[in-house]
Amino acid sequence: MLGAAQFAQRMGGMSPAKACLLLSLPMVVLFWVGLEGQGGFALGLQALVAPSFENVDELLLYYAWWPRLSIALLAGGGLGLAGVLMQQVLRNPLASPTTLGVASGANLALMTATLLAPGLLVAGREWVALLGGALAVGLVFLLSWRRGLAPIVVVLAGLVVNLYLGALSTALLLFNHEALSGLLIWGAGSLAQNGWDGVAILWPRLAISCVAAWFLLRPLAVLELDDASAKSLGVSLTYLRFAGMGLAVFITGSIVSVVGIIGFIGLAAPNIVRMAGARRLGPRLIWSTLLGAVLLATTDLLLQQFGGMVAAFIPTGAITGALGAPLLMWLIPRLKLQGDQPPKGAGVFARRHPAPSRLATGLILALLGATVLGLLFGQGVDGWYWLAPNNWNVMQWRMPRVMAAAASGLMLAIAGTILQRLSANPMASPEVLGISGGCAIALILGIFLLPAPTNMMLIGVGTLGAFATLLVLVGINRKSGYLPERLLLTGVAVSALFDAVRSVMLAGGDPRGQQVIAWLAGSTYYVDITNAVVVGGIAAVLALITLPFTRWLDILPLGAPTAKALGVTLNRARLALLLLVALLTACATLVVGPLSFIGLLAPHMARLVGFSRAGQHLLGAALIGMLLMVLADWVGRQIIFPYEIPAGLVASLIGGAYFMWGLRRL
C-alpha cells in the first residue's frame, strides 16, 4: 500500500494522537448531549457512582445508558486491536474480522448451537463463537495458503466464505424463523444493554488479549520483513501467524458473542491511524484500539440521538457496516496490493473444443433431460413416482418453477459471460462484483418503501440498483485500467453495504421480513404461470439482444489498444454492455435472489470445456446456467421432501463450494 509518509501527507501531516483527538470531539459532544437529555451530567455521574433505586431516571442511566457506552468502547477497542493483528499477520491492509469471514462464522456457529445444542450457550457463548470464527478463518487460510496468503487471494477467499456462510445462515433462518427471530437483532450488531453483564464478560477477555498482544509485539514486528529475512532471524512464521490470528479470532469471537456482528471498525481504525503516520506496530496497536473505541461509541451515541426519528429499529452494527462500505471504496484506488496485474487478455479464453456444436448438442440434451426430470419425476405421499404429462393439477405448479429457474439461469449466465469477457477476468460475475448485492439493496428498499409494488416496478428499481453499482465499479476502477483485483474489492464493499441494509430491514420486526428472507434464498415457489411466461419472455428477448454484441465481446478481451485499432468505441461499448448486464441481473435476481453463483459458475465451466469464441461462450454458458438452475430447483424440492430448499440457495451452496474448490487449486 502507499508509504506512511504519503499517507501522512494526505492527512495533512496529522499525527495519530491528533487524529484520535479530532475524531473524539464528536463523541464528547454527543456524550454531553446524551447526558443532558437524560437529566444532566451531575445526575448521570451520580447514577454511575451511587444510583438511587427510587429514581427511575437514575436506574435507566445505571442499567442501560452507561453499560451501553461501556460496551461500545470495549467492543470498538477490541475490534480495532483485532484488525491490526490481522493486517500485520497477513500483510494485508484490507484484512479485518468482517472481510475474512470471522464474524460470519461466529454468527453461524451461534445460530447452529441455538437450534441443535442450546446447552453449549449456557457453558459460554463466546466459546461457540470462537469455534465458528476459527473455522471460518481456517477455511480462508486453506483456500489461500498455496498462493502464499497473497492479499488479493485472502480477500477474495474471505468474500466467498462470507457469501457461503451467509447462504447457510439464510437457510437456517428460513426454516427456523421463529426460533431465530431474536438473533436477527443481536446478529445485526445491537449494543442495547439491560445491565452490566456484557461488560463483566467482555472486559477481562479484552484485558487478557491486550496483554497477550503486548507480549507478541516484538515477534509480530518481524512480519514486516519478507519471509526469507524473518526466517533468517530464527522466527517460526507458521507458529507466529497462528498465534497472531488465534488472538484476533479470540477477540472477535468474544465481541460477537456479546454484541453480535459489528462491521468495519476493525478495517477503519487501523487504516486511519496508518494514514495518520503510525509506522511501527506498537503505536498502531495502541492508537487503533483507542480509535476503534471512539468510532463505535460515536456511531452508537449518534444513533441514540437521532434513531428515534425513524420508526424502525436500526442496529449499530448495521450502521457501522453502511459507513464502512464507502470507506473501503475510498481506500481501494489508494491501495497498492501485491499481485496487481492487468487483465490477462485473450489468453484467458484461448482454450477451444474441437467440436463445439457436438458439445452444445450434448448440453441441450442434458437440459431437456433435466426439464423432464423437473416436470415429471418427484416424490408424493406414496414415495417416488412419474407424473402423467396431462396431469395439469400438478403440472400447473411445476411448470412455472422450471421455466423461472431456467430463465434466471440463462440471464445470470449471460450476465456473467459479458462481465468476464469485458474485464478479461474469469472470476468476475454479478455476485462477486457486488452487482447482485446492489440490485438486492434496491429491491429490498422497493419492497419496504413502495406502496404495493408490482413485479415491473421491482424490475425497474432493481435495474437502477444494478446499474448504479456498475457505475460505482466503473468510477472507482477506470483510472487503474479495471484491474481484476480492484474490481473484486469493490464487490466486497458493495456486499458489505448490502449486508447492512438487509440487517436493518430484518431486525425491524416488519412482517414483510419473512417475504424478504424467502426471496433472498431464491425460491421459485411464488412464481405462477403468468409470471413464468413474462420472465421467460424477458430472458429470451435479452438473450437475443446480446447477439449483436458478440463482435465486441470477441475483441474487448484483446485489450484497449487492439479494440480501438479495430474500430471499437470503448466507452460506448462498455456502457451498452454494462447496461445489458444490469437488466439481466435485475430480472434474474428478482426470481432467484442475489447469491446463486450461477453468474460465476456457468461462464467459468463453459470456458473450461472449450467454448472460446464469444458466441460459443454465450451459448455454452446459457445452456449450463439453465441446466444448473433447473437441477437446483429439482434437488431443492426433493432432498428434504415434503419441505423444500429454494433453488437459489441450492445453487449458492453448490456454486460456492465449486468456487472455493477452484480457488484452492489456483
Side-chain angles (χ1 to χ4, degrees):
M1 58 184 299
L2 290 175
Q6 292 170 287
F7 273 125
Q9 185 178 2
R10 289 184 181 276
M11 294 289 288
M14 186 179 297
S15 67
K18 289 181 180 178
C20 287
L21 181 61
L22 180 63
L23 293 171
S24 298
L25 293 179
M27 183 189 73
V28 174
V29 172
L30 290 167
F31 170 81
W32 187 267
V33 171
L35 276 183
E36 287 297 320
Q38 298 285 341
F41 180 78
L43 181 65
L45 188 60
Q46 179 181 336
L48 177 63
V49 177
S52 170
F53 293 97
E54 297 178 357
N55 189 318
V56 176
D57 291 334
E58 290 188 27
L59 287 177
L60 288 174
L61 284 165
Y62 182 77
Y63 284 108
W65 198 87
W66 282 110
R68 179 164 181 162
L69 177 63
S70 302
I71 209 75
L73 292 169
L74 287 170
L79 289 171
L81 177 60
V84 174
L85 290 171
M86 290 182 176
Q87 292 177 15
Q88 181 72 10
V89 168
L90 298 176
R91 301 184 184 127
N92 184 347
L94 294 177
S96 75
T98 46
T99 56
L100 294 187
V102 180
S104 298
N107 184 47
L108 178 62
L110 287 166
M111 292 177 70
T112 305
T114 301
L115 294 174
L116 303 180
L120 293 176
L121 301 179
V122 178
R125 290 196 307 179
E126 67 274 12
W127 302 113
V128 176
L130 175 63
L131 177 61
L135 291 175
V137 79
L139 182 57
V140 172
F141 266 47
L142 181 66
L143 295 175
S144 52
W145 192 266
R146 290 183 64 178
R147 292 287 298 275
L149 300 179
I152 185 57
V153 180
V154 171
V155 172
L156 179 59
L159 169 63
V160 176
V161 169
N162 260 324
L163 293 175
Y164 198 75
L165 297 181
L168 291 174
S169 299
T170 301
L172 291 179
L173 193 59
L174 185 65
F175 293 108
N176 305 277
H177 186 260
E178 300 260 339
L180 297 176
S181 57
L183 284 176
L184 288 175
I185 298 175
W186 168 85
S190 173
L191 298 182
Q193 303 291 305
N194 57 6
W196 293 90
D197 292 343
V199 176
I201 292 172
L202 200 52
W203 82 259
R205 291 165 173 77
L206 293 183
I208 294 171
S209 300
C210 289
V211 174
W214 186 257
F215 278 110
L216 286 172
L217 182 60
R218 293 187 64 183
L220 286 174
V222 176
L223 292 177
E224 295 175 0
L225 306 172
D226 58 80
D227 285 1
S229 300
K231 289 179 180 177
S232 68
L233 296 175
V235 176
S236 173
L237 294 181
T238 302
Y239 288 118
L240 186 56
R241 282 172 173 151
F242 274 111
M245 285 301 297
L247 180 58
V249 171
F250 173 75
I251 295 170
T252 305
S254 300
I255 293 170
V256 169
S257 67
V258 175
V259 299
I261 298 176
I262 305 292
F264 277 96
I265 296 296
L267 174 70
N271 276 290
I272 290 174
V273 299
R274 189 190 295 267
M275 292 164 63
R279 304 183 183 186
R280 295 168 53 221
L281 178 60
R284 279 191 283 125
L285 283 172
I286 294 171
W287 293 115
S288 294
T289 302
L290 293 175
L291 185 58
V294 167
L295 290 176
L296 185 56
T298 303
T299 303
D300 190 55
L301 288 169
L302 187 66
L303 184 61
Q304 290 184 65
Q305 193 67 30
F306 298 102
M309 299 179 182
V310 183
F313 171 76
I314 303 178
T316 306
I319 295 300
T320 59
L323 295 176
L327 170 69
L328 181 53
M329 292 180 189
W330 181 81
L331 282 173
I332 288 169
R334 294 162 174 80
L335 295 175
K336 180 174 177 58
L337 300 170
Q338 300 172 13
D340 271 1
Q341 296 175 353
K344 295 180 181 179
V348 175
F349 305 99
R351 181 177 178 179
R352 297 183 181 182
H353 192 276
S357 58
R358 187 169 60 189
L359 184 59
T361 302
L363 287 173
I364 292 172
L365 293 176
L367 177 60
L368 290 174
T371 303
V372 171
L373 189 71
L375 290 175
L376 303 181
F377 189 61
Q379 297 184 74
V381 291
D382 298 320
W384 293 91
Y385 73 101
W386 284 95
L387 180 72
N390 59 354
N391 188 343
W392 183 246
N393 290 329
V394 178
M395 193 68 71
Q396 66 176 330
W397 300 104
R398 290 186 181 179
M399 184 179 293
R401 301 187 61 168
V402 172
M403 290 176 61
S408 59
L410 170 69
M411 290 186 285
L412 284 174
I414 292 177
T417 304
I418 293 173
L419 284 174
Q420 290 184 13
R421 300 192 73 89
L422 186 61
S423 63
N425 178 8
M427 291 187 294
S429 78
E431 300 92 345
V432 175
L433 295 186
I435 299 168
S436 293
C439 176
I441 292 172
L443 286 170
I444 291 176
L445 293 176
I447 291 173
F448 276 84
L449 301 179
L450 293 176
T454 64
N455 281 340
M456 292 307 298
M457 292 171 63
L458 291 178
I459 287 175
V461 169
T463 302
L464 289 176
F467 192 62
T469 306
L470 285 165
L471 291 179
V472 171
L473 284 167
V474 172
I476 291 176
N477 296 279
R478 183 172 55 184
K479 288 185 179 180
S480 66
Y482 300 97
L483 291 173
E485 289 81 1
R486 297 183 187 277
L487 284 168
L488 294 168
L489 293 179
T490 311
V492 174
V494 175
S495 298
L497 188 61
F498 163 58
D499 288 337
V501 172
R502 178 181 60 182
S503 298
V504 170
M505 293 301 180
L506 295 183
D510 194 294
R512 290 169 292 186
Q514 181 67 18
Q515 176 189 355
V516 171
I517 294 172
W519 169 73
L520 288 174
S523 176
T524 57
Y525 180 81
Y526 301 102
V527 179
D528 57 23
I529 189 66
T530 303
N531 290 331
V533 171
V534 171
V535 171
I538 292 174
V541 170
L542 292 177
L544 291 174
I545 291 175
T546 308
L547 295 179
F549 296 110
T550 53
R551 178 177 176 270
W552 285 354
L553 294 174
D554 270 325
I555 294 173
L556 288 174
L558 300 175
T562 304
K564 288 180 181 178
L566 293 174
V568 176
T569 307
L570 287 179
N571 289 338
R572 186 177 65 183
R574 286 171 175 163
L575 185 63
L577 289 170
L578 291 176
L579 181 58
L580 183 57
V581 167
L583 283 168
L584 289 162
T585 303
C587 295
T589 302
L590 189 62
V591 179
V592 295
L595 299 177
S596 67
F597 280 102
I598 295 298
L600 174 72
L601 194 58
H604 192 64
M605 292 179 68
R607 180 179 60 84
L608 288 178
V609 298
F611 290 108
S612 58
R613 297 292 300 273
Q616 299 171 0
H617 197 188
L618 286 168
L619 175 62
L623 292 173
I624 292 173
M626 289 190 288
L627 175 63
L628 290 174
M629 280 306 303
V630 170
L631 288 176
D633 181 66
W634 182 81
V635 169
R637 283 188 277 133
Q638 307 301 329
I639 192 169
I640 56 171
F641 182 84
Y643 306 102
E644 65 176 73
I645 304 175
L649 194 55
V650 175
S652 297
L653 298 177
I654 296 173
Y658 174 86
F659 186 56
M660 285 190 284
W661 173 80
L663 188 63
R664 177 73 178 88
R665 293 170 59 87
L666 281 177

